[in-house]
Amino acid sequence: VLKLFKLLHRTRQEVFRNDTKALEAARQKINEEFRNNRDETSEEKINELLKIGSDVEVILRTSVIQAVHTDADKI
């Protein structure tokens, strides 16, 4: 669980680099989800949550695109 938590935060830092708003929003969401489920004891539910977290990490890493303005009318 801790390994996934750290991986999500590292991925967040890479994907949203230089975007303080997105970095903070992602940090809060990751922490909130882990905090909300920290008392879970069912092995089946924990495995399901770990799978969801892994899927989210893959989606962040492969599907999120950050655009940068290079000129007044160019991204």
Side-chain angles (χ1 to χ4, degrees), residues 7-59:
L7 178 61
L8 282 166
H9 277 290
R10 281 192 299 272
T11 301
R12 163 189 75 89
Q13 289 174 336
E14 290 174 24
V15 171
F16 300 118
R17 184 177 306 134
N18 300 325
D19 185 347
T20 55
K21 257 185 158 173
L23 279 168
E24 181 60 23
R27 184 189 69 78
Q28 286 179 1
K29 185 63 175 172
I30 292 167
N31 291 346
E32 175 186 327
E33 290 299 323
F34 275 82
R35 195 176 309 112
N36 288 343
N37 294 294
R38 71 176 168 211
D39 295 327
E40 186 59 55
T41 58
S42 165
E43 188 174 336
E44 184 178 306
K45 180 69 174 172
I46 291 170
N47 288 333
E48 180 183 327
L49 291 167
L50 287 172
K51 173 74 171 106
I52 291 169
S54 294
D55 291 347
V56 167
E57 193 275 332
V58 169
I59 290 169

